[in-house]
Amino acid sequence: MNAHAFTLAGAELQARGSGALFWPAQNLLCVSDLHLGKSERMARRVGATLPPYDTAETLARLDADLAETRAETVICLGDSFDDRDAAHALPNAEKIWISRLQAGRRWVWIAGNHDPGPLDLGGAHLAELPRGPLTFRHVARPGQAGEVSGHYHPKARITLRGRTISRPCFLIDDARVILPAYGTYTGGLRSSSEALAALMRPGAVAILTGPSPRPVPMPR
């Protein structure tokens, strides 16, 4: 299994190498910060040309995660599109792809700071979602417990056998988990940043994404 198991507020969760979070007992898959349409927004706003494959790559990864986990509930944890116009500019083929992924599942779009959720696509639209002992929201709040959030695109930088490695990561302590950005072309914030260091408690770990998810003490 390409995942690292951990427990938060009594819920047994899996940090998948793809950057998705899976909750087997609830058959629930959570992904954060898809930023679909980023290449379109970059071209529209600043004229920068990026290969226009980011949305397809992100949806293909999500498709694979859903095929493997067979999740019946999907939570997109905010910033699903790079902005409101990117949601409207989504090609029909990719809208159909999303509709196919939604078929037979409960699908929840959590509002992010980049977009309120794609209002012309199926699914529920919520500011946050309490579920059992956990609460799913876009941005972490100090003092909360059992919180699942995204927003920061955390990355961890470690030195291993003389090589420096930087990868998107989950940040986990006994109160919360912050998910990495799931989307292609998304940057990241180092775990040693002031914002993340202030949020995460002593003893926090970083789970590096990739073929073999690896837990390390959170680099501060």
Side-chain angles (χ1 to χ4, degrees), residues 22-205:
F22 184 51
W23 188 358
Q26 297 285 326
N27 206 6
L28 182 155
L29 189 78
C30 180
V31 292
S32 188
D33 296 274
L34 303 177
H35 285 273
L36 302 177
K38 183 166 186 176
S39 59
E40 185 276 335
R41 183 189 68 84
M42 292 290 288
R44 170 170 29 92
R45 289 196 173 185
V46 297
T49 302
L50 296 173
Y53 309 123
D54 52 313
T55 297
E57 286 184 13
T58 301
L59 292 178
R61 197 176 327 116
L62 181 54
D63 206 336
D65 272 328
L66 289 172
E68 186 170 338
T69 62
R70 300 184 180 181
E72 295 177 354
T73 298
V74 176
I75 299 175
C76 295
L77 207 56
D79 286 358
S80 298
F81 284 80
D82 214 47
D83 63 9
R84 188 188 299 269
D85 290 339
H88 293 310
L90 192 70
N92 284 334
E94 290 170 349
K95 289 182 180 179
I96 292 170
W97 195 346
I98 292 172
S99 295
R100 180 174 60 79
L101 296 180
Q102 291 176 326
R105 296 185 170 98
R106 184 189 182 199
W107 196 283
V108 179
W109 304 99
I110 300 294
N113 59 295
H114 274 247
D115 69 87
L119 300 177
D120 59 341
L121 295 175
H125 298 265
L126 301 173
E128 60 182 47
L129 176 64
R131 179 114 176 202
L134 305 181
T135 298
F136 296 84
R137 60 171 60 98
H138 182 58
V139 184
R141 297 178 186 171
Q144 301 296 301
E147 181 183 72
V148 181
S149 66
H151 177 64
Y152 288 102
H153 304 195
K155 296 181 75 173
R157 185 177 182 181
I158 63 170
T159 300
L160 184 66
R161 298 175 184 173
R163 294 175 54 222
T164 298
I165 300 172
S166 179
R167 287 185 187 169
C169 67
F170 298 81
L171 296 180
I172 302 167
D173 63 18
D174 56 3
R176 62 170 47 84
V177 53
I178 300 178
L179 272 62
Y182 194 81
T184 304
Y185 296 163
T186 49
L189 183 66
R190 287 188 183 178
S191 61
S192 57
S193 70
E194 182 177 347
L196 291 173
L199 276 170
M200 305 305 296
R201 296 179 177 180
V205 298

